[in-house]
Amino acid sequence: MAELNLKQINARLNEEFRGEKRKLVFWYDDKAEFVDDIKDIELDNAKVYFLQPDNQFYTKYFLERKDKENNYLIYAPFPKPDVRENHLEDTLLYSKRFFADRASLLMADLGVDEKYKNIIEKHIKFFANKDRTQRFYDLEIEQFNEENIIVGMLGSICRTQTCSFEEVVRAVLSDGKCEENKFIDAFKKYDLHSEFWKLCERHFGYIDNAPSLTNFVLTLFVTYTAKSITGELPESLKSMVSHKSGNIITFMDNLKNSVLYKDRYNKLSEFVSNELNIVKIFENLLPEELLYCDTFVCIDKIIIRWIKERLLAEDTGAMLDNHSIKEVASIRSKMHFSESTGKIYHMLGSAYDIVVNSKYTCPDSFSDILEKYKTSDYKIDQNYRYFYYDYDSLDDSEDFEGLRELVENIYTNEYLDKLLQKWNSGILEQDAFGKLPLQIDFYDSNIGGLKDRTVVIISDALRYEVGHELYTTLADDPKSNIRIDTSLSVLPSYTRLGMAALLPHKSITMSDDYTVLVDGMSCDNLLTRQNILQRYCDNGICVQFDDIKNMKKSELRDIFTGKQLVYVYHNQIDARGDKANTEDEVFVACKEAVNEIADLIRRISSNANTHHFIVTADHGFIYKRDKLNESDKINVRDRNAFVNRRFIVSTEAIYEDGIENISMGRILRNGDGKMVSFPISSNVFKVSGGGQNFVHGGSSPQEMLIPVLNIKMERGHIDTGNAQIALVSMVQKITSNVTVLEFIQSEAVSDTVKATTYKLYFISDDNEKISNEATLFADSRELDARKRIFRMNFRFKDKKYDKNRNYYLVAYDEGSGEEIWRHHVVMDLVGESF
């Protein structure tokens, strides 16, 4: 029994023996429930005498002859004998009887009304175990009724933290088995089995002559599915729909969206899908009827197949419920099974954006080409990259090979071929290099005359569309001020010449052995670039990203203190793309580059008292997935020249079909007579070694249009967020004056997640506070989500509540006073009979 019962017995017995008059108190413990506990009884004014069935006569002699002074509690661990067999019957006439059955004690302890004693007595076997009884006490049930007592016992078996039947059901479903469920077996053991199923009928409308957990789960999922299918439910499922769909929908929503239970939901969904052969049943439904249903993952398979077939047919106008293919993919990517299907929908959305350009048209004028690329065409390159990023992450991409071929064909033959032909006609125009800011003017245009410390991050091969993703990433930060511009790189668009163009200089030249020089000085490594930089800025320095990326705060400060200008060289994209064995990972490298640069800016801003950043690139790149055909390679005769896949620098122009030429002197603004020859398409010159899919150095928007991001971070800004909280179980109805709710801190406190204090309380629809205010300190650093759960008690005002009014649980950030969220509840404090 619970410790509190012994204390209660002690108190009652000591009350019996109060006073100076001698007293004898008989306690017949019919079922010997307290035989083990009697030794712990401590009486202030009496002694305990143990009565045995065969020592009644001696006891009479002892109490009436031998010791007539002391008070005695006569404890008998057996029923009182019949009058004719009881030698102490006449002693009992002038003594008192003490009654302490477990049911009465429990009820007195808990404050249970006498009218519910039959329930306690019926299930007294449940309370025989101290730990189980203590768990019942720990539920802290304030207002008892028949249902609460039953739910409390069920919850104690399931080890729930609150007296909630929904929590009981969640625990039962989490056992892992529908048949041979350990909790169902325990309910049978303690005669609670029928009560459990009655509650399932009351709360969820589950009615079954031979109830089973399997059929109950089928009812839950079918009823939940029926609410989100826009057409008629298949005939074979209709009999499983419960009349209490509202309660089931709420329960299933909470189960599906719960941090603790969503994995179990997924397993149950798979179980039901197999049990009912949902795949075959749903094949007869139209995709639009399933658009908003995410009960089973097979629904995603149906919709994914529909999208793929529409794209393969280039039917980009197809719609479901007035939503385009792109919108359908977006809707489904945010639904429950997105962890497994989200990347497929993202891939399909990117494929859609490629397929809609199957009839791509390119402007004629160079100015219009530039403007169209900066505003819209860059997205084609971006979506091509996104497509392969997701495609390559699939465990099995075989089903989408046809779609990949279509994307590749449109990107290469419809987009690149048309765009590059027009681009290379335009770039030869006399005024082409006056249409955009030039990379060769970078220092003078962006840095000269700046007073604030500035960090220039040069990311090798960060082409314009990747830079635009970085722009979007940083623009989401409310404490950053960011602008993106475009500049035209040098030609050839390769590393040594591009890096030279970004340094301060009076002249850039290419020697006869094709060495690039800045003001006559070599600039092909970090030290030589720093020497050049310091000629124009005494407090300038050049560093490699890899050398500072893992530095501590103090180490970063040492690097930046006293410096006016810091050039940071970042090499993620080009390093991966330029190697034959890793060039197909270049789109992964692009994503990593964006994340690395954004993270570096935040770290430097918060740790090194530096707030002005410029991000740019030495050049861009072209990447195509399919291997080049021999017809895509341009043979060049032997010559004394600097030959690259996408350009040739030599002393004379090459006059062959598919090749154009421009003078080096025009690019570098000097009298250099060397010529730069380049393909006017995406073709390459035939050279040995290296990869073939990732190329740069030639003339195309992808290679020559590079981003220039100008970023100013707020001083003192540290990119952190508050620790968020959520209800573990979304309670819908309040039925007790005291309610215990569980909240979970979504993430552990860390360098980027700040500890936060929240005020929680209930209000009415006219903002009257109807409960106490609870304070939750979301400051846990525990990585295990289950250890970041908080139990909060709420006590409600004693007043009448209207079921038809709106009441809310609200959460406020104590620091800012801002309301974080509110959750609607129904106030129903009148308990129902079971």
Side-chain angles (χ1 to χ4, degrees):
M1 63 176 291
E3 183 183 354
L4 189 59
N5 288 337
L6 284 177
K7 291 180 179 179
Q8 185 181 17
I9 291 171
N10 250 357
R12 288 176 57 191
L13 285 170
N14 279 319
E15 190 69 29
E16 293 287 349
F17 292 107
R18 187 164 295 172
E20 296 182 0
K21 186 178 179 181
R22 185 189 186 228
K23 295 179 181 178
L24 301 177
V25 177
F26 283 81
W27 178 5
Y28 286 100
D29 183 7
D30 294 10
K31 298 179 182 179
E33 291 182 78
F34 298 93
V35 68
D36 293 330
D37 301 313
I38 195 67
K39 64 182 182 298
D40 297 321
I41 296 293
E42 297 178 358
L43 301 178
D44 299 332
N45 191 27
K47 297 181 179 180
V48 178
Y49 182 93
F50 289 87
L51 182 63
Q52 301 298 329
D54 57 358
N55 72 346
Q56 295 182 55
F57 185 78
Y58 174 79
T59 300
K60 184 176 181 67
Y61 160 75
F62 178 82
L63 294 174
E64 297 183 355
R65 293 287 185 269
K66 192 170 182 179
D67 185 352
K68 297 190 289 182
E69 301 296 326
N70 288 305
N71 296 327
Y72 279 97
L73 169 67
I74 300 96
Y75 175 77
F78 50 83
K80 176 181 168 295
D82 185 76
V83 173
R84 287 173 295 183
E85 298 176 0
N86 189 5
H87 298 293
L88 295 169
E89 194 67 36
D90 57 342
T91 307
L92 281 164
L93 294 176
Y94 63 84
S95 303
K96 289 194 68 174
R97 288 280 302 275
F98 179 79
F99 298 92
D101 63 283
R102 192 176 298 277
S104 298
L105 286 169
L106 283 167
M107 292 172 65
D109 244 4
L110 295 165
V112 179
D113 193 281
E114 183 68 24
K115 64 183 178 181
Y116 300 121
K117 186 174 182 179
N118 64 316
I119 302 174
I120 301 293
E121 288 181 327
K122 178 181 177 182
H123 300 287
I124 200 66
K125 181 181 178 182
F126 167 89
F127 295 102
N129 177 274
K130 290 183 179 180
D131 291 339
R132 194 165 52 245
T133 303
Q134 189 60 52
R135 291 199 296 272
F136 187 90
Y137 272 76
D138 290 343
L139 292 174
E140 298 178 358
I141 303 169
E142 288 290 324
Q143 289 189 337
F144 285 94
N145 56 38
E146 196 167 347
E147 179 170 318
N148 281 348
I149 295 170
I150 297 297
V151 172
M153 288 187 283
L154 294 171
S156 300
I157 291 171
C158 296
R159 298 178 182 269
T160 65
Q161 300 300 310
T162 58
C163 183
S164 162
F165 185 62
E166 287 193 359
E167 280 298 310
V168 169
V169 175
R170 271 186 279 271
V172 170
L173 296 181
S174 296
D175 176 43
K177 300 177 182 177
C178 282
E179 303 302 330
E180 300 180 2
N181 183 279
K182 67 181 180 183
F183 294 126
I184 296 294
D185 290 342
F187 297 163
K188 292 177 181 177
K189 180 178 179 180
Y190 298 108
D191 300 320
L192 291 165
H193 187 245
S194 61
E195 280 84 353
F196 173 76
W197 291 119
K198 287 177 186 176
L199 285 168
C200 286
E201 179 179 347
R202 171 177 295 179
H203 286 261
F204 299 110
Y206 171 65
I207 304 172
D208 197 333
N209 291 330
S212 70
L213 198 54
T214 294
N215 289 340
F216 176 55
V217 170
L218 297 182
T219 295
L220 292 178
F221 273 86
V222 172
T223 304
Y224 189 50
T225 300
K227 65 96 180 181
S228 55
I229 289 181
T230 56
E232 188 174 352
L233 193 70
E235 197 66 36
S236 60
L237 302 180
K238 287 182 178 179
S239 63
M240 300 179 196
V241 176
S242 165
H243 65 282
K244 291 202 171 182
S245 59
N247 287 359
I248 289 180
I249 290 167
T250 300
F251 175 80
M252 295 295 281
D253 274 341
N254 293 337
L255 188 72
K256 181 176 68 176
N257 298 322
S258 167
V259 174
L260 300 179
Y261 296 110
K262 66 177 182 179
D263 289 341
R264 183 57 188 153
Y265 172 92
N266 294 348
K267 291 178 181 177
L268 288 170
S269 172
E270 182 181 11
F271 168 77
V272 173
S273 182
N274 293 333
E275 194 79 8
L276 297 177
N277 199 2
I278 290 294
V279 174
K280 184 175 182 180
I281 292 174
F282 281 5
E283 280 181 347
N284 298 321
L285 296 180
L286 297 174
E288 53 260 40
E289 295 176 313
L290 299 171
L291 178 59
Y292 305 107
C293 182
D294 62 350
T295 318
F296 307 103
V297 73
C298 69
I299 294 172
D300 286 292
K301 293 178 181 178
I302 293 170
I303 293 178
I304 286 169
R305 184 173 67 239
W306 177 85
I307 293 176
K308 183 185 73 172
E309 290 172 351
R310 293 300 89 219
L311 290 176
L312 287 172
E314 298 186 36
D315 181 11
T316 55
M319 305 185 88
L320 293 182
D321 192 31
N322 292 320
H323 291 291
S324 69
I325 290 175
K326 184 70 177 282
E327 291 169 338
V328 168
S330 178
I331 290 169
R332 296 299 304 187
S333 71
K334 297 180 178 68
M335 299 183 86
H336 177 69
F337 291 101
S338 61
E339 286 186 12
S340 60
T341 63
K343 56 190 174 185
I344 298 177
Y345 285 117
H346 295 154
M347 180 191 72
L348 294 173
S350 301
Y352 171 84
D353 285 328
I354 299 292
V355 175
V356 295
N357 283 286
S358 60
K359 300 295 188 288
Y360 173 78
T361 58
C362 181
D364 292 322
S365 79
F366 194 61
S367 295
D368 290 342
I369 292 171
L370 291 171
E371 186 61 29
K372 187 169 187 278
Y373 190 85
K374 289 190 298 179
T375 56
S376 61
D377 281 358
Y378 79 88
K379 295 178 183 177
I380 301 176
D381 294 305
Q382 197 170 67
N383 279 293
Y384 180 78
R385 172 166 64 89
Y386 290 163
F387 174 83
Y388 274 110
Y389 181 86
D390 291 315
Y391 179 86
D392 291 341
S393 70
L394 299 180
D395 295 329
D396 183 3
S397 58
E398 184 178 355
D399 284 348
F400 301 101
E401 176 58 26
L403 183 60
R404 189 204 68 79
E405 291 175 356
L406 176 63
V407 166
E408 191 69 22
N409 178 60
I410 292 172
Y411 181 75
T412 300
N413 300 322
E414 297 297 326
Y415 171 61
L416 281 184
D417 283 359
K418 292 178 181 178
L419 173 61
L420 267 59
Q421 292 282 345
K422 295 286 184 71
W423 168 272
N424 284 303
S425 294
I427 204 168
L428 295 174
E429 295 173 4
Q430 190 61 38
D431 61 346
F433 286 81
K435 302 292 186 180
L436 276 181
L438 299 180
Q439 183 185 47
I440 203 168
D441 296 324
F442 171 79
Y443 186 89
D444 291 339
S445 300
N446 295 281
I447 299 172
L450 287 178
K451 295 181 180 180
D452 292 339
R453 175 161 49 215
T454 301
V455 175
V456 176
I457 301 173
I458 301 170
S459 184
D460 205 328
L462 187 83
R463 68 183 184 180
Y464 180 76
E465 59 90 3
V466 182
H468 208 286
E469 181 178 340
L470 176 61
Y471 165 80
T472 303
T473 299
L474 292 172
D476 287 339
D477 188 334
K479 296 188 177 181
S480 71
N481 188 318
I482 182 169
R483 183 182 77 248
I484 184 169
D485 298 312
T486 314
S487 70
L488 188 66
S489 79
V490 289
L491 184 63
S493 52
Y494 77 112
T495 298
R496 290 192 177 181
L497 194 57
M499 292 297 184
L502 294 170
L503 288 167
H505 61 268
K506 291 183 175 62
S507 67
I508 297 178
T509 56
M510 181 179 282
S511 66
D512 290 342
D513 64 355
Y514 309 110
T515 299
V516 177
L517 304 173
V518 172
D519 295 343
M521 301 170 61
S522 172
C523 62
D524 60 354
N525 61 51
L526 192 70
L527 181 59
T528 56
R529 291 171 191 169
Q530 181 170 288
N531 290 337
I532 293 168
L533 184 65
Q534 289 178 346
R535 294 181 66 190
Y536 291 83
C537 179
D538 292 341
N539 296 324
I541 187 175
C542 294
V543 297
Q544 292 285 2
F545 169 82
D546 287 344
D547 292 337
I548 66 170
K549 65 180 179 180
N550 295 319
M551 279 187 176
K552 297 176 181 177
K553 182 175 182 178
S554 59
E555 294 172 325
L556 271 177
R557 285 186 171 177
D558 289 342
I559 291 286
F560 287 83
T561 298
K563 303 300 185 296
Q564 179 66 21
L565 180 61
V566 181
Y567 269 44
V568 179
Y569 291 93
H570 175 263
N571 189 10
Q572 174 69 262
I573 301 171
D574 201 66
R576 201 90 63 94
D578 260 348
K579 296 182 178 64
N581 61 331
T582 60
E583 65 176 345
D584 282 351
E585 299 172 15
V586 69
F587 288 160
V588 175
C590 289
K591 176 66 72 174
E592 291 175 2
V594 168
N595 294 336
E596 287 178 350
I597 296 169
D599 181 62
L600 180 67
I601 289 172
R602 292 171 180 136
R603 286 181 58 239
I604 293 175
S605 175
S606 61
N607 296 330
N609 194 30
T610 303
H611 310 288
H612 186 203
F613 302 84
I614 298 174
V615 181
T616 191
D618 53 347
H619 58 78
F621 66 89
I622 287 178
Y623 175 90
K624 296 186 295 181
R625 176 55 60 90
D626 282 354
K627 299 301 179 185
L628 294 176
N629 298 317
E630 283 302 308
S631 60
D632 298 324
K633 301 175 184 177
I634 304 171
N635 277 302
V636 289
R637 60 185 181 273
D638 293 336
R639 62 179 71 238
N640 181 21
F642 177 15
V643 181
N644 184 281
R645 279 190 171 75
R646 288 286 292 160
F647 67 87
I648 295 174
V649 180
S650 64
T651 56
E652 57 185 38
I654 301 174
Y655 296 104
E656 294 183 12
D657 289 343
I659 300 174
E660 285 291 356
N661 305 274
I662 196 168
S663 72
M664 183 63 75
R666 183 181 175 191
I667 300 294
L668 300 182
R669 297 172 179 164
N670 58 29
D672 194 334
K674 289 188 282 294
M675 299 298 294
V676 182
S677 303
F678 51 90
I680 62 172
S681 65
S682 60
N683 290 349
V684 300
F685 292 116
K686 189 172 184 178
V687 296
S688 59
Q692 298 182 351
N693 295 60
F694 174 89
V695 294
H696 63 85
S699 176
S700 68
Q702 292 77 12
E703 295 163 286
M704 294 186 68
L705 292 182
I706 57 175
V708 180
L709 282 73
N710 204 306
I711 305 144
K712 290 187 177 179
M713 303 294 287
E714 261 188 31
R715 293 182 182 274
H717 169 56
I718 300 175
D719 188 52
T720 59
N722 291 341
Q724 302 295 310
I725 59 170
L727 271 168
V728 173
S729 301
M730 299 295 265
V731 63
Q732 304 298 324
K733 184 183 290 187
I734 302 297
T735 59
S736 173
N737 278 331
V738 175
T739 294
V740 182
L741 299 178
E742 287 187 317
F743 300 83
I744 188 168
Q745 181 182 318
S746 302
E747 295 179 274
V749 169
S750 65
D751 291 339
T752 56
V753 179
K754 294 189 299 184
T756 311
T757 302
Y758 293 96
K759 295 294 186 183
L760 302 155
Y761 50 88
F762 288 79
I763 61 173
S764 63
D765 53 9
D766 59 0
N767 290 319
E768 177 192 3
K769 190 182 290 188
I770 59 171
S771 76
N772 63 298
E773 183 175 276
T775 302
L776 192 158
F777 299 97
D779 57 0
S780 173
R781 292 181 176 272
E782 291 285 350
L783 298 179
D784 184 349
R786 292 179 182 272
K787 295 181 179 179
R788 299 197 304 271
I789 293 177
F790 304 82
R791 294 185 74 198
M792 311 298 293
N793 292 309
F794 296 91
R795 184 178 292 275
F796 295 91
K797 289 182 179 179
D798 293 321
K799 57 177 290 184
K800 288 186 178 181
Y801 294 95
D802 185 349
K803 291 182 184 179
N804 297 316
R805 287 184 63 184
N806 292 318
Y807 299 90
Y808 305 93
L809 168 62
V810 293
Y812 284 86
D813 182 327
E814 186 181 54
S816 66
E818 180 183 359
E819 180 179 314
I820 304 304
W821 48 255
R822 63 172 53 202
H823 173 68
H824 179 264
V825 296
V826 173
M827 297 297 293
D828 182 15
L829 297 186
V830 180
E832 296 178 88
S833 60
F834 184 65

